Amino acid sequence: MLLAGDIGGTKTNLALYAPEGGLVAQAQATFRSAHYASLEAVVKEFLATTEAEVDRAVFGVAGPVVDGESTTTNLPWVIREADLQQALDLQEVKLLNDLEATAYGVPRLSSSDLFQLNDAPTQSGTKVVLAPGTGLGEAVLFFQDGHHHVIPSEGGHASFAPTNLLEIRLLRHLMGKYGHVSFERVCSGPGIPNIYAFLKRQRFAQETPEMKKALKKAADPTPVIVQSAMDGECELSIASLNTFVSILGAEAGNLALKVMATGGVYLGGGIPPKILNKLKDGTFMASFVNKGRFADMLAQIPVYVILNDKTALFGSACYGLGL
């Protein structure tokens, strides 16, 4: 029996798979990551609810994995393969970066799991995945000899590159706050309030009294800002989401150029499905192709939104089952 997991800064998804059952989960559950002191604690609670005897485990983890160890970026956890193997009495434990896990699942997604943002034709070649959520994850599916080979990346922590005068001012503002400003600082769930606060300070647009009250009550401002923008209720929220989507498009184009991702760009993570109507309005694609002499080439790359929120879990299972 295989235990597969998607370990995120916000939530942890766990599922059991039997080799004879393929990619149909035998049991599955979701946990709030911050409510637990360690991954071991989450897994033990999950396994206590099942009667399965687990032999192996594969976990996609939101953080870099080096020599079988990961310090999660947005959780106070240090996760080690050897420690998990011993604590859970398993034959084998494998840690993957969470976007690496997502990438393993991408080739096996069905058409119903995807929404294409442009009319570029489907073609073979290298693919890339970008996932804005609690952080900004990136991964590459390098295409060679008819097969995709997954390459993990921490590209979301590369330096933010402004593409217009407003974004230059945003960069200067955030440099004063953080020093180094990565794409994740502006292109993730926590990045949206960073953009909102900057635009408010610049008096770029009006904040409604209702929005001000809602933000004061909110434990997490991001969903409040996003929903307000999607509903067209606050000009400041709308401007913030516009800026976020434009930056996401630019970084997607950057990654596609760097690895010649002719096989497609896939937007994963928790945010893209929630703002699908915004991604459809052309803002993202205009920024994606805005690469000067390479605009026409980028326009021929298909861009998809991943609608299946269990893709990283699914990908961990694909890896563990050797699919």
Side-chain angles (χ1 to χ4, degrees), residues 13-52:
N13 292 316
L14 299 175
L16 295 177
Y17 295 86
E20 62 274 13
L23 290 170
V24 177
Q26 307 295 304
Q28 187 170 306
T30 299
F31 303 85
R32 301 293 294 181
S33 302
H35 292 176
Y36 296 85
S38 66
L39 176 57
E40 289 94 328
V42 182
V43 172
K44 286 179 179 180
E45 181 172 320
F46 173 65
L47 293 179
T49 66
T50 74
E51 297 182 357

Side-chain angles (χ1 to χ4, degrees), residues 35 42-43 48 53-54 70 76 87 108 157 160 183 190 194 206 210:
H35 292 176
V42 182
V43 172
E53 292 190 11
V54 177
S70 178
R108 290 183 168 271
H157 296 283
F160 168 48
F183 268 100
N194 282 337
Q206 287 291 320
E210 293 79 10

Side-chain angles (χ1 to χ4, degrees), residues 9 73-74 131-137 157 184 187-190 271:
T73 306
N74 295 299
T134 307
L136 175 64
H157 296 283
E184 183 170 285
C187 206
S188 64
I271 296 177

Side-chain angles (χ1 to χ4, degrees), residues 103-159:
Y104 277 109
V106 162
R108 290 183 168 271
L109 291 174
S110 67
S111 59
S112 63
D113 292 321
L114 301 168
F115 181 90
Q116 188 168 352
L117 291 178
N118 59 354
D119 58 1
T122 301
Q123 51 191 324
S124 63
T126 295
K127 304 174 186 288
V128 294
V129 186
L130 295 89
T134 307
L136 175 64
E138 299 183 358
V140 178
L141 290 92
F142 177 64
F143 189 71
Q144 187 177 43
D145 300 328
H147 299 283
H148 284 103
H149 306 272
V150 175
I151 302 172
S153 169
E154 287 297 331
H157 296 283
S159 301

Side-chain angles (χ1 to χ4, degrees), residues 27-257:
Q28 187 170 306
T30 299
F31 303 85
R32 301 293 294 181
S33 302
H35 292 176
Y36 296 85
S38 66
L39 176 57
E40 289 94 328
V42 182
V43 172
K44 286 179 179 180
E45 181 172 320
F46 173 65
L47 293 179
T49 66
T50 74
E51 297 182 357
E53 292 190 11
V54 177
D55 305 300
R56 299 170 297 125
V58 178
F59 300 108
V61 181
V65 178
V66 179
D67 294 331
E69 180 177 324
S70 178
T71 300
T72 50
T73 306
N74 295 299
L75 278 174
W77 293 359
V78 177
I79 304 174
R80 299 181 181 90
E81 291 175 349
D83 292 347
L84 285 167
Q85 186 175 344
Q86 182 177 8
L88 302 174
D89 192 24
L90 301 177
Q91 295 176 15
E92 183 181 4
V93 173
K94 177 66 176 177
L95 296 182
L96 306 173
N97 173 262
D98 59 339
L99 260 291
E100 187 181 2
T102 298
Y104 277 109
V106 162
R108 290 183 168 271
L109 291 174
S110 67
S111 59
S112 63
D113 292 321
L114 301 168
F115 181 90
Q116 188 168 352
L117 291 178
N118 59 354
D119 58 1
T122 301
Q123 51 191 324
S124 63
T126 295
K127 304 174 186 288
V128 294
V129 186
L130 295 89
T134 307
L136 175 64
E138 299 183 358
V140 178
L141 290 92
F142 177 64
F143 189 71
Q144 187 177 43
D145 300 328
H147 299 283
H148 284 103
H149 306 272
V150 175
I151 302 172
S153 169
E154 287 297 331
H157 296 283
S159 301
F160 168 48
T163 61
N164 56 47
L165 293 176
L166 178 67
E167 290 176 11
I168 289 173
R169 294 201 300 271
L170 172 62
L171 173 61
R172 293 181 64 182
H173 167 73
L174 292 176
M175 285 177 70
K177 184 176 181 180
Y178 297 113
H180 175 255
V181 182
S182 66
F183 268 100
E184 183 170 285
R185 291 294 190 189
V186 290
C187 206
S188 64
I192 291 174
N194 282 337
I195 296 171
Y196 185 94
F198 163 73
L199 293 179
K200 181 177 179 179
R201 182 174 178 176
Q202 294 286 308
R203 298 183 180 178
F204 186 86
Q206 287 291 320
E207 179 184 56
T208 64
E210 293 79 10
M211 186 64 183
K212 190 173 183 177
K213 290 178 183 177
L215 288 175
K216 281 186 176 181
K217 295 178 182 177
D220 180 0
T222 300
V224 178
I225 296 168
V226 169
Q227 193 59 52
S228 172
M230 295 300 292
D231 293 341
E233 294 176 344
C234 174
E235 289 299 321
L236 186 55
S237 299
I238 293 169
S240 299
L241 191 59
N242 280 339
T243 301
F244 169 84
V245 168
S246 181
I247 293 171
L248 178 62
E251 173 59 357
N254 290 342
L255 186 56
L257 279 177

